[in-house]
Amino acid sequence: MNHVFKVEDLSVAYDRQPVLWDIDLDIPSGILLGIVGPNGAGKSTLVKTALGLVKPLSGDVRFMGEPYSKVYKKIGYVPQKGSVDWDFPTTVFDVVLMGRYGHIGWLRRVGKKDRQATRDALEKVGMFEYRNRQISELSGGQQQRVFLARALVQDADIYFMDEPFAGVDVKTERAIVGLLKELKANDKTVIVVHHDLNTVKDYFDWLTLLNIKVIAHGPVDEVYTKENVRRTYQADTLMSMEREINV
Amino acid sequence: MNVEILMVALLTAMSTSLVGVFLVLRRLSMLTDAISHTVLLGIVIAFMVVGDMTSPFLVIGATVMGVVTVYLIEMLIKTRRVKEDASIGVVFTFLFSISVIIISTRFRHVHLDINMVLLGNLEFVIFDRFQWLFIDVPTSLFIMGLVFVLNITLLGLFYKEMKLVSFDYALAGTLGFSPLIIHYVMMTLVSLTAVAAFNAVGAILVIALMIGPPITALFLTKTLFKTILLTMGIAVFNSVIGYQLSRMMDVTISGMIASVTLLTFVIVMVFARKKGLIGRFVHLRKQKEAIAFATILVHIKNHEDTETAHVELDRETMHAHMQWRKEYLDKLLEKGRKNGYLKIDSGIVGLTEKGESYYRRLSFVKRGVLE
Amino acid sequence: MFDLGYTLQIVILGTVFLGAISGILGTFVVLRNQALIGDALSHATLPGIMIAYMLTGVRSLQVLLLGAFISALVAMFALNTIKKYTTIKFDASMALILSGFFGVGQVFLSQIQKTGGASQAGLSRFILGQAATMLRRDVYFIVIVALVVLLLLIVFWKELKLYIFDENFYKASGLSERFISGLLTMMVTFIIVIGIRLVGVILMSALIIAPPVAARQLSNRFYLNVGIAGFIGAVSGMTGTYLSATRANLPTGPVIALVLGGVVLLALLASPRNGIVKRYVQIRIFRSRIKRYRKLIHLYENPGEVNLDSKEYTYFINHDYVKVEDGALRVTSKGMKRIRSIKAVD
């Protein structure tokens, strides 16, 4: 198995508060990986650091051996739904089209191909009939589908999704899971920040348990054990070290 | 009517509101308040260096100071010791007071009157003229024209990028654009536009011209492109009406344009079909009524064909069981009967065929929440 | 100490009280993340002042201030309505209200200037303020308003504090949100209204925002914040007024704002608690130590997982941070000490 995404010795701190500590991850291609951990475990930070949005304290992130800036066209990103203003004057179609901007590049205009890709992606997530709606008129689940479509048009090899199931209805959740499995079937690598332990086994084939450090990482059957989960959800990390010192 | 003054007013309103669209969408509106005040310091410093009130360096100095202001505010926010709005307030009052002190101690005799700077004076722009070859126009008109062309050109070139950065700053970064560059290009444009608008409308009214038309347009549009077009239209409308009113009443032009800007905003806010106040209230009432009606249907479904049906569904006492006001319930029952959802058989309320099918279509029933 | 003229003493009395009460009240406003509301409201007073003058023809401070007060309340009502019922962002509506109201005020001002005689000169003073021309009874008025506001703050201290820190909990406690937010707005409007005559509409925000921001750097306790902010406001008011009197043509408001800005800068940079300089140095040290001792901490947290002949530990072994024990790498007590010291840079 070739490793499409590799993290080495990664540490991230906000001021002097470590958020990620000494992370080593090897992620083979074609897997569906869930990153699970308690609040404040650094799940989102890990994704943001991978995408160059947060500067690490130390360590290195590589995609197929290259830094992010060289391969950004091959990487799709679905941020948390709350990260944008849903009252923005723009339509569903426009938002999805934005996913193509990376391929289009500076100054150049949107082309026919980009519009076609957008239409296809909208069909795929079942939002085509809503294409001319302003995004403020969507439900939470529909918003998530739009974000997903936006990532799909990026036509990436690796997808990062930050809590795609947060605040969506059951139907959408099922649809998203189906889509994720389809991506995997097409040899894409999908990395999902997730918070619901109950569904881990059904949704993912690989699992990273994270709480500032990597507690466990590997195929879900090996990693998803009572002991590992317990270790993840009790802060057994540098945080505890800090507590020890402060007392 | 003085065409030159009107032209200056129009160009000012269009240039400012154009950059204003992005400020509003990026929630940076109050930055204009800061920038429009601190550019004064830039003018003062540039004037101290070049000693000429008409030098183009004044515009450059002022623009730079506007961008520096944004940078300082961002630096202060980044320390995470001061919140965003407090940072704005601290930085701009500080820089502004420096400029007022310099002006009142060193330049009392020079043509740099603080009131003039704060309030602007559209009436006087025609006296300061730009003459070159066969061209003879007010300097303000020339400068504003240049700024307008620059704004339009840059927006045309970077429309896609500006839209992306405004909607999703982080995504712009991951797609290989540098949001920071686009951010500072925007801030430079805002600053330059504020400086250029200074002569005509002053530091405070320029804020209304920047922010007013975009937030008015946002009530009516659903795409960015239409928002920009409508913003410009509203800016033109406000300037023309403001200019005419001010001439009729013989009062300050810029003040009147700002007042009209406020007025159009209020009118649109109240009457906009979908997002306006009236529209919202109507929508809210309908929604409330729909929920109340659904509650009635559920109540009927829960009790029909049970032993207590004749008590619970008695039209005269039903309100007590539901703990509603009788008048309110009666009104809804009547409405439901008229529209064929409800029937009342010897004082007992029940569902018609139509009511039954409506009940089944209620979304929560379909999802099985109640079953 | 100083030989202060009588007029100056009077003006200083006014600015000290104004500075203190705006600092105190400002703490509530800034902690609610509403720092710029003061800015919007003070600009919004202009039409009220002008209309009051046009209606009564009197230039009495009290009458004009009543107009200012009403006008600011209208602005506040408009802001609340927009916030509650539309999707317009709050900062945008603030910007428009600030500037739009000011424009309306200017229209009236220009109307007055057209018809009025010498009396109109006094009106433009509200824009930049003019402390030097204060009358004694104006100052007494300020003192009284300040004391009333202070009294209200003391009476409703508990409720205000709760409201600011946890609005939802406050509401859940069955207390009236409308009353407390209304009270806060009223008080802020009061202070702004009495302040604009002294320092003007633009710099009034400095008086409300700067003292709390400086105080926040110096303490984490709420009541200390309030006290320090009041103190900074008072001292800056006094210093600014005094400095502005030392030279001809120095306007009082801007000098006070300048002093306040200086205090904020100083507090930000040099606060013994969280000063930027200190924090910057600490973070730098922390980062470099983390980089240097990363592997050591890695070993400490994953005992037994590190390969014995890992080359990365040669340095640590040579420096006695790590030793080989029972065929495995172990962190020595010296190494433990080092790890602990990394977090405790303070």
Side-chain angles (χ1 to χ4, degrees):
Chain A
M1 255 191 294
N2 57 328
H3 296 259
V4 287
F5 175 46
K6 199 171 158 107
V7 177
E8 267 178 46
D9 283 346
L10 183 77
S11 296
V12 179
Y14 291 140
D15 289 352
R16 283 181 295 142
Q17 187 66 50
V19 191
L20 287 176
W21 185 252
D22 205 10
I23 306 280
D24 286 301
L25 285 178
D26 257 346
I27 294 171
S29 77
I31 63 164
L32 187 44
L33 171 87
I35 301 178
V36 177
N39 284 334
K43 297 171 301 222
S44 289
T45 308
L46 178 59
V47 170
K48 285 184 184 152
T49 315
L51 300 175
L53 294 172
V54 172
K55 241 183 106 185
L57 186 64
S58 66
D60 198 25
V61 177
R62 301 250 153 190
F63 299 88
M64 298 152 273
E66 304 271 5
Y68 180 76
S69 56
K70 285 219 169 140
V71 290
Y72 67 85
K73 283 185 190 172
K74 292 181 183 161
I75 294 155
Y77 175 42
V78 180
Q80 284 187 16
K81 219 165 39 146
S83 64
V84 303
D85 171 15
W86 289 96
D87 288 326
F88 199 92
T90 191
T91 58
V92 167
F93 190 86
D94 264 354
V95 171
V96 177
L97 192 57
M98 282 183 200
R100 296 296 303 168
Y101 285 10
H103 290 274
I104 299 168
W106 286 91
L107 291 173
R108 265 176 308 198
R109 310 253 141 218
V110 173
K112 241 186 198 155
K113 223 176 66 195
D114 304 311
R115 288 178 198 284
Q116 191 52 49
T118 303
R119 275 190 285 270
D120 294 345
L122 280 170
E123 292 274 16
K124 206 159 207 172
V125 298
M127 287 294 291
F128 188 68
E129 54 185 307
Y130 297 93
R131 64 191 177 283
N132 289 326
R133 285 249 186 125
Q134 186 181 346
I135 51 171
S136 60
E137 299 167 31
L138 302 179
S139 71
Q142 291 170 331
Q143 291 175 347
Q144 196 62 61
R145 285 161 186 249
V146 170
F147 260 21
L148 217 59
R150 189 178 70 173
L152 289 181
V153 297
Q154 290 185 35
D155 193 20
D157 293 334
I158 309 172
Y159 287 94
F160 286 90
M161 308 192 177
D162 200 345
E163 301 260 7
F165 305 117
V168 306
D169 50 289
V170 185
K171 213 175 106 198
T172 303
E173 179 153 348
R174 264 184 236 134
I176 295 176
V177 173
L179 209 65
L180 298 185
K181 302 214 155 147
E182 194 187 322
L183 283 172
K184 178 189 136 67
N186 288 331
D187 260 349
K188 312 281 186 189
T189 310
V190 186
I191 297 164
V192 180
V193 171
H194 191 53
H195 68 273
D196 183 7
L197 275 172
N198 298 319
T199 49
V200 162
K201 276 204 136 169
D202 303 332
Y203 290 1
F204 307 112
D205 50 0
W206 274 52
L207 179 66
T208 302
L209 288 170
L210 186 76
N211 190 352
I212 302 187
K213 312 190 302 179
V214 173
I215 308 295
H217 171 65
V220 73
D221 298 323
E222 293 166 27
V223 170
Y224 191 65
T225 63
K226 233 182 197 161
E227 170 61 13
N228 279 340
V229 170
R230 188 189 58 75
R231 278 175 55 213
T232 311
Y233 281 80
Q234 74 173 39
D236 178 21
T237 54
L238 200 67
M239 302 267 271
S240 61
M241 191 172 101
E242 181 187 17
R243 223 170 288 132
E244 201 177 301
I245 291 158
N246 285 343
V247 167
Chain B
M1 187 165 91
N2 186 316
V3 179
E4 283 179 343
I5 294 181
L6 185 60
M7 282 299 292
V8 174
L10 281 175
L11 282 174
T12 308
M14 289 197 289
S15 310
T16 47
S17 59
L18 191 60
V19 290
V21 173
F22 292 95
L23 285 171
V24 168
L25 292 176
R26 296 190 54 207
R27 302 183 201 203
L28 300 175
S29 303
M30 283 307 271
L31 273 186
T32 42
D33 187 25
I35 291 175
S36 68
H37 283 92
T38 57
V39 288
L40 181 58
L41 184 58
I43 295 179
V44 169
I45 291 173
F47 178 69
M48 282 165 76
V49 176
V50 297
D52 174 10
M53 224 17 233
T54 56
S55 163
F57 283 107
L58 263 56
V59 174
I60 296 171
T63 306
V64 169
M65 186 53 78
V67 179
V68 168
T69 305
V70 175
Y71 182 73
L72 287 177
I73 291 169
E74 283 168 358
M75 224 168 69
L76 211 52
I77 297 171
K78 252 192 220 147
T79 66
R80 279 194 267 157
R81 301 297 308 163
V82 189
K83 286 277 166 55
E84 195 182 320
D85 52 349
S87 306
I88 295 177
V90 166
V91 170
F92 99 80
T93 52
F94 183 66
L95 297 180
F96 178 72
S97 53
I98 294 177
S99 48
V100 175
I101 289 169
I102 296 177
I103 293 172
S104 39
T105 51
R106 297 195 53 171
F107 304 130
R108 287 188 75 78
H109 315 293
V110 188
H111 175 68
L112 223 183
D113 176 6
I114 297 171
N115 272 328
M116 174 88 178
V117 167
L118 287 176
L119 309 180
N121 207 329
L122 258 172
E123 288 80 349
F124 290 168
V125 293
I126 42 172
F127 299 121
D128 183 7
R129 303 197 75 86
F130 173 81
Q131 282 156 328
W132 184 64
L133 299 179
F134 54 91
I135 304 170
D136 178 13
V137 292
T139 313
S140 280
L141 186 61
F142 178 69
I143 294 176
M144 236 32 259
L146 277 184
V147 169
F148 182 66
V149 171
L150 183 70
N151 282 354
I152 287 277
T153 311
L154 282 175
L155 179 70
L157 282 175
F158 295 104
Y159 178 72
K160 179 172 103 265
E161 287 79 5
M162 287 191 184
K163 179 173 163 182
L164 178 61
V165 166
S166 305
F167 178 63
D168 196 336
Y169 197 88
L171 184 79
T174 67
L175 289 183
F177 299 94
S178 351
L180 204 63
I181 292 178
I182 296 167
H183 172 60
Y184 275 100
V185 168
M186 275 189 195
M187 290 303 123
T188 310
L189 280 187
V190 170
S191 189
L192 177 68
T193 312
V195 176
F198 232 83
N199 263 330
V201 295
I204 300 172
L205 298 187
V206 70
I207 306 167
L209 296 193
M210 274 198 185
I211 306 302
I215 63 175
T216 311
L218 280 172
F219 277 108
L220 304 166
T221 52
K222 64 173 192 176
T223 69
L224 181 58
F225 190 65
K226 281 183 191 156
T227 306
I228 291 173
L229 286 185
L230 188 60
T231 295
M232 305 285 254
I234 292 170
V236 169
F237 175 83
N238 291 341
S239 321
V240 173
I241 301 292
Y243 178 83
Q244 290 296 355
L245 281 178
S246 78
R247 291 307 86 195
M248 273 159 58
M249 296 157 69
D250 191 20
V251 288
T252 160
I253 305 173
S254 53
M256 198 44 135
I257 296 179
S259 305
V260 173
T261 304
L262 184 63
L263 194 68
T264 34
F265 169 77
V266 172
I267 291 172
V268 171
M269 174 176 79
V270 173
F271 294 105
R273 205 168 55 86
K274 240 178 170 172
K275 302 178 192 170
L277 292 187
I278 293 180
R280 286 251 162 163
F281 281 132
V282 171
H283 179 73
L284 278 179
R285 258 191 67 169
K286 273 192 186 150
Q287 214 169 34
K288 217 175 132 189
E289 206 175 271
I291 291 171
F293 192 63
T295 315
I296 295 175
L297 295 192
V298 171
H299 183 80
I300 295 172
K301 275 309 254 191
N302 281 348
H303 294 285
E304 69 176 5
D305 307 328
T306 65
E307 283 169 22
T308 53
H310 62 283
V311 190
E312 291 279 355
L313 300 180
D314 184 336
R315 136 153 235 182
E316 293 309 311
T317 54
M318 197 168 148
H319 69 276
H321 298 283
M322 297 183 71
Q323 299 182 341
W324 284 6
R325 268 188 313 115
K326 187 165 189 325
E327 302 80 55
Y328 186 58
L329 182 65
D330 281 348
K331 205 182 85 190
L332 287 172
L333 288 180
E334 191 49 39
K335 213 171 180 177
R337 205 176 57 83
K338 239 191 203 153
N339 295 330
Y341 291 100
L342 301 177
K343 58 178 185 214
I344 297 172
D345 283 339
S346 53
I348 302 293
V349 184
L351 292 182
T352 62
E353 198 82 345
K354 197 175 166 193
E356 288 277 358
S357 89
Y358 180 75
Y359 172 78
R360 279 192 302 274
R361 271 186 289 124
L362 286 175
S363 56
F364 53 85
V365 176
K366 238 179 10 191
R367 268 193 271 127
V369 174
L370 294 174
E371 254 101 25
Chain C
M1 192 163 56
F2 302 117
D3 178 27
L4 304 177
Y6 177 73
T7 331
L8 186 57
Q9 279 183 36
I10 283 289
V11 175
I12 286 185
L13 182 70
T15 48
V16 164
F17 265 85
L18 180 67
I21 197 69
S22 355
I24 290 171
L25 199 58
T27 310
F28 293 86
V29 178
V30 170
L31 284 178
R32 278 215 78 204
N33 295 331
Q34 295 193 325
L36 289 174
I37 282 193
D39 195 37
L41 291 187
S42 59
H43 282 81
T45 56
L46 198 66
I49 294 170
M50 300 306 158
I51 293 172
Y53 176 75
M54 281 173 87
L55 289 180
T56 62
V58 194
R59 239 188 70 212
S60 130
L61 186 63
Q62 283 79 350
V63 172
L64 299 186
L65 293 190
L66 182 68
F69 186 68
I70 294 172
S71 174
L73 284 187
V74 172
M76 195 65 213
F77 172 76
L79 282 175
N80 282 337
T81 309
I82 299 171
K83 185 179 174 183
K84 212 166 162 189
Y85 298 109
T86 76
T87 51
I88 298 297
K89 303 291 174 285
F90 194 59
D91 65 321
S93 56
M94 259 195 319
L96 179 66
I97 293 291
L98 180 160
S99 177
F101 269 61
F102 197 81
V104 175
Q106 262 191 57
V107 170
F108 285 112
L109 178 61
S110 71
Q111 180 68 30
I112 294 168
Q113 278 170 338
K114 206 169 55 183
T115 51
S119 56
Q120 45 100 348
L123 296 175
S124 54
R125 278 188 199 142
F126 282 96
I127 295 169
L128 277 174
Q130 206 165 37
T133 58
M134 294 286 290
L135 299 173
R136 194 155 55 139
R137 64 189 165 97
D138 295 346
V139 171
Y140 288 158
F141 184 63
I142 289 171
V143 172
I144 292 168
V145 171
L147 288 176
V148 169
V149 169
L150 194 62
L151 189 73
L152 283 171
L153 281 176
I154 293 170
V155 170
F156 294 105
W157 175 267
K158 204 169 73 266
E159 287 80 5
L160 282 166
K161 190 176 157 184
L162 185 59
Y163 179 59
I164 279 160
F165 282 106
D166 196 341
E167 203 177 316
N168 290 326
F169 185 74
Y170 175 88
K171 281 187 227 162
S173 314
L175 296 159
S176 162
E177 190 212 350
R178 205 178 239 189
F179 170 74
I180 208 76
S181 73
L183 180 73
L184 204 55
T185 310
M186 283 292 217
M187 290 191 294
V188 173
T189 317
F190 257 130
I191 295 306
I192 287 168
V193 162
I194 58 165
I196 48 177
R197 177 65 181 78
L198 270 176
V199 297
V201 294
I202 296 169
L203 295 175
M204 193 54 220
S205 7
L207 253 69
I208 292 180
I209 302 172
V213 168
R216 189 70 193 82
Q217 313 310 316
L218 303 171
S219 159
N220 281 332
R221 307 283 289 273
F222 180 62
Y223 72 95
L224 275 179
N225 261 271
V226 173
I228 296 171
F231 180 73
I232 290 173
V235 171
S236 307
M238 187 165 72
T239 319
T241 315
Y242 179 75
L243 285 178
S244 71
T246 56
R247 259 188 80 175
N249 303 330
L250 265 183
T252 316
V255 177
I256 296 177
L258 201 63
V259 173
L260 282 169
V263 173
V264 169
L265 203 63
L266 201 69
L268 270 171
L269 288 176
S271 152
R273 203 172 254 285
N274 303 301
I276 291 177
V277 175
K278 186 181 164 197
R279 255 163 33 108
Y280 182 77
V281 172
Q282 281 176 343
I283 291 171
R284 268 293 149 104
I285 294 175
F286 174 73
R287 298 198 153 210
S288 68
R289 282 191 183 165
I290 290 278
K291 277 186 184 155
R292 200 141 117 226
Y293 296 104
R294 208 178 59 232
K295 285 288 161 193
L296 182 65
I297 300 172
H298 181 81
L299 177 65
Y300 167 81
E301 291 182 349
N302 307 289
E305 281 178 27
V306 175
N307 205 332
L308 188 57
D309 42 52
S310 169
K311 284 233 167 50
E312 282 152 323
Y313 286 89
T314 327
Y315 170 86
F316 297 117
I317 293 172
N318 289 342
H319 286 78
D320 283 339
Y321 292 130
V322 173
K323 62 183 175 202
V324 182
E325 206 179 85
D326 307 329
L329 289 172
R330 287 272 152 76
V331 180
T332 63
S333 58
K334 188 183 165 193
M336 297 282 228
K337 237 187 195 162
R338 182 83 287 196
I339 292 171
R340 269 155 217 222
S341 76
I342 291 173
K343 274 300 284 178
V345 210
D346 309 75

